[in-house]
Amino acid sequence: MRISIIRKGHFNAAHKLSVDSWTDEKNKAVFGRCANPNFHGHNYVMEVKVTGEVDPVTGMVINLSELKSLMRTEIEDRFDHKNLNLDCTEFADLIPTAENICIVIWQILRKHLDERYDLSVRLYETERNFVEYPA
Amino acid sequence: MRISIIRKGHFNAAHKLSVDSWTDEKNKAVFGRCANPNFHGHNYVMEVKVTGEVDPVTGMVINLSELKSLMRTEIEDRFDHKNLNLDCTEFADLIPTAENICIVIWQILRKHLDERYDLSVRLYETERNFVEYPA
Amino acid sequence: MRISIIRKGHFNAAHKLSVDSWTDEKNKAVFGRCANPNFHGHNYVMEVKVTGEVDPVTGMVINLSELKSLMRTEIEDRFDHKNLNLDCTEFADLIPTAENICIVIWQILRKHLDERYDLSVRLYETERNFVEYPA
Amino acid sequence: MRISIIRKGHFNAAHKLSVDSWTDEKNKAVFGRCANPNFHGHNYVMEVKVTGEVDPVTGMVINLSELKSLMRTEIEDRFDHKNLNLDCTEFADLIPTAENICIVIWQILRKHLDERYDLSVRLYETERNFVEYPA
Amino acid sequence: MRISIIRKGHFNAAHKLSVDSWTDEKNKAVFGRCANPNFHGHNYVMEVKVTGEVDPVTGMVINLSELKSLMRTEIEDRFDHKNLNLDCTEFADLIPTAENICIVIWQILRKHLDERYDLSVRLYETERNFVEYPA
Amino acid sequence: MRISIIRKGHFNAAHKLSVDSWTDEKNKAVFGRCANPNFHGHNYVMEVKVTGEVDPVTGMVINLSELKSLMRTEIEDRFDHKNLNLDCTEFADLIPTAENICIVIWQILRKHLDERYDLSVRLYETERNFVEYPA
């Protein structure tokens, strides 16, 4: 009776993609317009999937209000209306691609979830581009 | 050559979440506003995924008109514009959380599908909350 | 420089459509499955449109946090996870069709908005059915 | 036989909302998290509506490939992956609220459209907040 | 108390855009890939908006089941899974652009709607391109 | 650190479903309205999922501009605004059901992707019907 529940959340943030030790030309060649030194931004949408057994009394895998609150406190308050490169220590030494942001979200939430749950995260950078971790 | 085909359906229903043997306070503490004794409701959206081999002549896993008809007869006619707690015997002794509704849909459809098919069901309670069974 | 700003909100509620003085047969003939005496429900989505002049200093028609807060306090807290027929005095003598719910929302918000603003409301009962007031 | 045709486009940009002559406290009080000095960002979606007579031979109001090209050259190339405050002269002295961005888009496109057309622009800052100009 | 109600419908059809008296080169120059002589196709989505007074007893502008049935009988049965150029007499001498299809839908529905109603039609050819008649 | 990245693309095409050696009656019985000899059409949406290790320097699984370009060159240019039955050799002897189109897209892209990547494709024929390969 293992089932998954998915909750959507969102945050709006600025970022840029570039490797400090590279030249501007190389950054532009690899990251294109995403390397703009003055940043650009996105409406990020995350889908957090928690998998576990259904509690026979409550009929719930996890209390959604608990999951919603965890996502707000740990992810949305941390990243919403922030500059990921400048404001967020998580990306001090990590390039904030959708891939890395997704993995960081997973790592933060994993620490706060009981180990009886499996966890995966889907992150939309735009409606057309999104990532899932773990694969 | 195993492939999955997914068909969307929907039904609009009322429900409430509460455990009969609990006090109002405990129900409110666990289920929040979902425990309102006079019910509330949702536009449920289901995605039914059927997995099997592609027929080399017809190019189909399953005839979609057959799947559509099965979903209409067995699920939509049963739950659409109903009160899940009061009108549906499936939930006489089962709390109609998204998790349990999803499992009930899976159990009903499973009986009507040839065993050569795998089946899974995703159920949206809102655009922001949804479940998948099996995980 | 008149411009419109639109903010989305939502509430999930139960309702039924029937005229008390009519027979069950007549109610069924006119309202179909919506007349189910045990209620059904929807995820209602509202789009509240406020029209006015852009403030030359702030670049805003209305402060969105003010509009968001008004929608939460006056509409979402009032109708979310409620039974419109049983819990909401607005519909004690008014049948809660999408049309009437939309007009009631407009009337409530109109009282709280400065008269320099024009107001209109779009209400989705489902993705496929929605209303706009005023026309 | 006047008809409207609408074409969607999009650009991803960083911005912040603040008035230079105000204190940080006042900016935070009015603009909330949008005043973050290090910027945040959005996936902006624009819907450009052109209204005119249908050409009896081609059955078109305006050639969509022309409109698409105009939107790409004049709006998307100008604002996509940019910092509206730092990179775009249009906002050197104009606060880049959704309202002002929408009006700027309208003003740019208006100059390039034949005067036999009416023009209006809808701009989504998020799925939940959007503006329309003219009202 | 005039209000609008909008109902969505859809049909999937093939079409091509070309003027018979023109050369292939001219058709390609004006209509681009839409001139492919072997046709292409779309999932058309229509939004039919009916405006009128709310009936004080039923709380309805128009009975949605009546509108739904009209849209099915007059539009969907006529155009769904058809080749607009070859199968539909409406387009025997009329190029099936989104503009013309939208006007044809309006003309058909107008004849079947009581004159106390106003009518307008929005037609999506894709998620990115759509038209509205009347403007 | 295996992660998946998904990119959306789209193409609009005509097709019909029928088996040449069958009678019209049998084709209609099996394929319904999809057997219309004059074709119908769809806005196809594909989601291409590529799974691999995140590059520790660039933070990317695969460069999205490379994946986008591959999808444009190999799939969209090939199928967009085409008649799948008449214009595309891939379907000369293969019935263009959603299942088969999805498998063909997978086979084409597989040849162009480095073998360190896993690949899967989801194809929407309509918003309500879609397929995934491999299952």
Side-chain angles (χ1 to χ4, degrees):
Chain A
M1 281 300 196
R2 271 184 99 68
I3 196 168
S4 298
I5 191 157
I6 299 102
R7 168 86 192 163
K8 274 196 183 182
H10 52 88
F11 55 93
N12 309 325
H15 79 153
K16 68 170 175 181
L17 302 184
S18 57
V19 174
D20 289 349
S21 58
W22 288 1
T23 62
D24 284 1
E25 288 67 34
K26 183 158 184 195
N27 274 316
K28 211 163 205 171
V30 171
F31 297 109
R33 294 168 304 173
C34 297
N36 174 19
N38 284 331
F39 312 101
H40 63 285
H42 296 291
N43 301 329
Y44 290 96
V45 176
M46 60 177 160
E47 292 180 1
V48 174
K49 184 198 269 197
V50 173
T51 302
E53 297 289 326
V54 178
D55 180 297
V57 177
T58 64
M60 300 193 295
V61 175
I62 189 173
N63 196 314
L64 258 186
S65 70
E66 182 192 326
L67 179 57
K68 191 178 166 178
S69 159
L70 180 63
M71 288 165 62
R72 181 160 300 169
T73 313
E74 292 300 325
I75 309 299
E76 293 173 353
D77 288 352
R78 194 185 296 250
F79 295 140
D80 190 30
H81 282 70
K82 295 288 174 58
N83 183 311
L84 299 177
N85 301 74
L86 299 182
D87 297 328
C88 302
T89 55
E90 292 81 1
F91 301 103
D93 299 312
L94 188 67
I95 189 168
T97 54
E99 289 91 327
N100 279 339
I101 303 170
C102 187
I103 292 170
V104 163
I105 292 173
W106 185 90
Q107 289 169 333
I108 293 171
L109 294 177
R110 183 66 275 182
K111 283 182 293 186
H112 292 83
L113 268 184
D114 192 290
E115 60 181 18
R116 74 179 182 278
Y117 294 121
D118 288 326
L119 171 69
S120 73
V121 178
R122 175 183 273 202
L123 182 74
Y124 289 81
E125 193 167 84
T126 71
E127 269 186 70
R128 292 159 295 284
N129 300 331
F130 49 103
V131 295
E132 283 180 349
Y133 181 79
Chain B
M1 282 300 198
R2 273 183 98 68
I3 195 168
S4 297
I5 191 158
I6 298 103
R7 168 84 194 163
K8 274 196 183 183
H10 52 88
F11 54 93
N12 309 325
H15 80 153
K16 67 170 175 181
L17 301 184
S18 57
V19 174
D20 288 348
S21 58
W22 288 1
T23 62
D24 284 1
E25 288 68 33
K26 183 157 184 196
N27 274 315
K28 212 161 205 173
V30 171
F31 297 109
R33 295 169 303 173
C34 297
N36 174 20
N38 284 331
F39 311 101
H40 64 284
H42 295 291
N43 301 329
Y44 291 96
V45 175
M46 59 177 161
E47 293 181 1
V48 174
K49 185 200 270 197
V50 173
T51 302
E53 297 289 326
V54 178
D55 180 298
V57 178
T58 64
M60 301 192 295
V61 174
I62 188 174
N63 197 314
L64 260 186
S65 69
E66 183 192 326
L67 178 57
K68 190 178 169 180
S69 158
L70 180 63
M71 288 165 63
R72 181 159 300 168
T73 313
E74 292 301 325
I75 307 300
E76 293 173 353
D77 287 353
R78 194 186 297 250
F79 295 140
D80 190 31
H81 284 70
K82 296 290 174 59
N83 183 310
L84 299 177
N85 301 74
L86 299 182
D87 296 328
C88 301
T89 56
E90 292 81 1
F91 300 103
D93 300 312
L94 187 67
I95 191 168
T97 55
E99 289 92 325
N100 279 338
I101 302 170
C102 187
I103 292 171
V104 163
I105 292 173
W106 185 90
Q107 289 169 334
I108 293 171
L109 293 178
R110 182 66 275 183
K111 283 182 294 186
H112 292 84
L113 268 183
D114 192 291
E115 60 180 18
R116 75 179 182 276
Y117 294 121
D118 289 326
L119 171 68
S120 73
V121 178
R122 175 182 272 202
L123 182 74
Y124 289 81
E125 194 167 83
T126 70
E127 268 187 71
R128 291 159 296 284
N129 301 330
F130 49 101
V131 296
E132 284 180 350
Y133 181 77
Chain C
M1 280 301 197
R2 272 184 98 68
I3 196 169
S4 298
I5 190 157
I6 298 103
R7 168 84 193 165
K8 272 196 184 183
H10 52 88
F11 54 93
N12 309 325
H15 80 153
K16 68 171 173 181
L17 301 183
S18 57
V19 175
D20 288 350
S21 58
W22 288 0
T23 63
D24 284 2
E25 287 68 33
K26 184 158 183 196
N27 274 315
K28 211 162 205 172
V30 171
F31 296 109
R33 294 169 304 173
C34 297
N36 174 20
N38 284 330
F39 312 101
H40 63 286
H42 296 291
N43 301 329
Y44 290 95
V45 176
M46 58 176 161
E47 292 180 1
V48 174
K49 184 199 271 197
V50 174
T51 302
E53 297 289 327
V54 178
D55 180 298
V57 177
T58 64
M60 300 193 294
V61 174
I62 189 173
N63 197 313
L64 259 186
S65 71
E66 182 192 325
L67 179 58
K68 190 177 168 181
S69 159
L70 180 63
M71 288 165 62
R72 183 161 298 169
T73 314
E74 292 301 324
I75 307 300
E76 293 172 354
D77 287 353
R78 195 185 295 251
F79 295 141
D80 190 31
H81 282 71
K82 295 290 173 59
N83 183 311
L84 300 177
N85 301 74
L86 298 182
D87 297 328
C88 301
T89 56
E90 293 81 2
F91 300 104
D93 299 312
L94 188 68
I95 191 168
T97 55
E99 289 91 328
N100 280 337
I101 302 170
C102 187
I103 292 170
V104 163
I105 292 173
W106 185 91
Q107 290 170 333
I108 293 171
L109 294 177
R110 183 66 276 183
K111 284 182 294 186
H112 292 82
L113 268 183
D114 192 290
E115 59 181 19
R116 74 180 183 277
Y117 294 122
D118 288 326
L119 172 68
S120 73
V121 178
R122 176 182 272 202
L123 182 74
Y124 289 81
E125 193 167 86
T126 71
E127 269 186 69
R128 291 159 295 285
N129 301 331
F130 48 103
V131 295
E132 284 180 349
Y133 180 79
Chain D
M1 281 302 198
R2 272 183 99 67
I3 196 169
S4 297
I5 192 158
I6 298 102
R7 169 83 193 164
K8 273 196 182 182
H10 51 88
F11 55 94
N12 308 327
H15 80 153
K16 67 170 175 181
L17 301 185
S18 57
V19 174
D20 288 350
S21 58
W22 289 1
T23 62
D24 283 2
E25 289 67 33
K26 184 158 183 195
N27 274 316
K28 211 162 205 172
V30 172
F31 296 109
R33 294 169 304 174
C34 297
N36 175 19
N38 283 331
F39 312 100
H40 64 284
H42 295 291
N43 301 329
Y44 291 95
V45 176
M46 59 176 160
E47 292 180 2
V48 174
K49 185 199 271 198
V50 174
T51 302
E53 297 289 327
V54 178
D55 181 297
V57 177
T58 64
M60 300 193 294
V61 174
I62 189 174
N63 197 315
L64 259 185
S65 69
E66 183 191 325
L67 179 58
K68 191 177 166 181
S69 159
L70 180 63
M71 289 165 62
R72 182 160 300 168
T73 313
E74 292 300 326
I75 308 300
E76 293 172 353
D77 287 353
R78 194 186 295 250
F79 295 142
D80 190 30
H81 283 69
K82 295 290 174 60
N83 183 311
L84 299 178
N85 302 73
L86 299 183
D87 296 328
C88 302
T89 56
E90 292 81 2
F91 301 102
D93 299 311
L94 187 67
I95 190 168
T97 55
E99 289 92 328
N100 280 338
I101 303 170
C102 187
I103 292 170
V104 163
I105 292 173
W106 185 91
Q107 289 169 333
I108 294 170
L109 293 178
R110 182 67 276 183
K111 284 183 292 186
H112 292 83
L113 268 184
D114 192 291
E115 60 180 18
R116 74 179 183 277
Y117 294 121
D118 289 326
L119 171 69
S120 74
V121 178
R122 175 182 273 201
L123 182 74
Y124 289 81
E125 193 166 85
T126 71
E127 268 186 72
R128 290 159 297 285
N129 301 331
F130 48 103
V131 295
E132 283 180 351
Y133 181 79
Chain E
M1 281 302 198
R2 272 183 98 67
I3 196 169
S4 297
I5 191 159
I6 298 101
R7 168 85 193 163
K8 273 196 185 184
H10 52 88
F11 54 93
N12 309 325
H15 80 154
K16 67 170 175 181
L17 302 184
S18 57
V19 175
D20 288 350
S21 58
W22 288 1
T23 62
D24 284 1
E25 287 68 32
K26 183 157 185 197
N27 274 316
K28 213 163 203 171
V30 171
F31 297 109
R33 292 169 305 174
C34 298
N36 174 21
N38 283 331
F39 312 101
H40 63 284
H42 296 291
N43 301 329
Y44 290 95
V45 175
M46 59 176 161
E47 293 180 1
V48 175
K49 184 199 272 197
V50 173
T51 302
E53 298 288 327
V54 178
D55 180 298
V57 177
T58 64
M60 300 193 295
V61 174
I62 189 174
N63 197 314
L64 259 185
S65 70
E66 183 192 325
L67 179 58
K68 190 177 168 180
S69 159
L70 180 64
M71 288 166 63
R72 181 159 300 167
T73 313
E74 291 299 326
I75 307 300
E76 292 172 354
D77 287 353
R78 194 186 296 250
F79 295 140
D80 190 32
H81 283 71
K82 295 290 173 59
N83 184 311
L84 299 176
N85 302 74
L86 299 183
D87 297 327
C88 301
T89 56
E90 293 80 3
F91 300 103
D93 300 311
L94 187 68
I95 191 168
T97 55
E99 289 92 326
N100 279 338
I101 302 170
C102 187
I103 292 170
V104 163
I105 291 173
W106 185 91
Q107 289 169 333
I108 293 171
L109 294 177
R110 182 66 277 183
K111 283 183 293 186
H112 292 84
L113 269 183
D114 191 291
E115 59 181 20
R116 74 180 183 278
Y117 294 122
D118 288 326
L119 171 68
S120 74
V121 178
R122 176 183 272 201
L123 182 74
Y124 289 81
E125 194 167 85
T126 71
E127 270 187 69
R128 291 159 297 284
N129 301 329
F130 49 103
V131 295
E132 284 180 349
Y133 181 79
Chain F
M1 281 299 197
R2 272 183 98 68
I3 195 169
S4 298
I5 191 158
I6 298 101
R7 168 85 193 162
K8 272 196 185 185
H10 52 88
F11 55 93
N12 309 326
H15 79 155
K16 68 171 176 181
L17 302 183
S18 58
V19 175
D20 288 349
S21 58
W22 288 1
T23 62
D24 284 2
E25 288 68 34
K26 184 159 184 195
N27 274 316
K28 212 162 205 173
V30 170
F31 297 109
R33 294 169 304 174
C34 298
N36 174 19
N38 283 330
F39 312 102
H40 63 286
H42 296 291
N43 300 329
Y44 290 95
V45 175
M46 59 176 161
E47 293 181 1
V48 174
K49 184 198 272 196
V50 174
T51 301
E53 298 289 326
V54 178
D55 180 298
V57 176
T58 64
M60 299 192 295
V61 175
I62 188 174
N63 197 313
L64 260 186
S65 69
E66 181 192 328
L67 178 57
K68 191 177 167 180
S69 158
L70 179 64
M71 287 165 64
R72 182 159 299 166
T73 314
E74 291 300 325
I75 308 300
E76 293 173 354
D77 288 352
R78 193 185 297 250
F79 295 141
D80 189 30
H81 283 70
K82 295 289 174 59
N83 183 312
L84 300 177
N85 301 74
L86 299 183
D87 297 328
C88 302
T89 55
E90 292 80 2
F91 301 103
D93 299 312
L94 187 67
I95 190 168
T97 55
E99 289 91 328
N100 279 338
I101 302 170
C102 187
I103 292 170
V104 162
I105 292 173
W106 184 91
Q107 290 168 334
I108 293 170
L109 294 177
R110 184 65 276 182
K111 282 182 294 185
H112 293 83
L113 270 182
D114 191 290
E115 60 181 16
R116 74 179 182 277
Y117 293 122
D118 288 325
L119 170 69
S120 74
V121 178
R122 176 183 272 202
L123 182 74
Y124 289 81
E125 193 166 83
T126 71
E127 269 188 69
R128 291 159 296 283
N129 301 331
F130 48 103
V131 296
E132 284 180 349
Y133 180 79

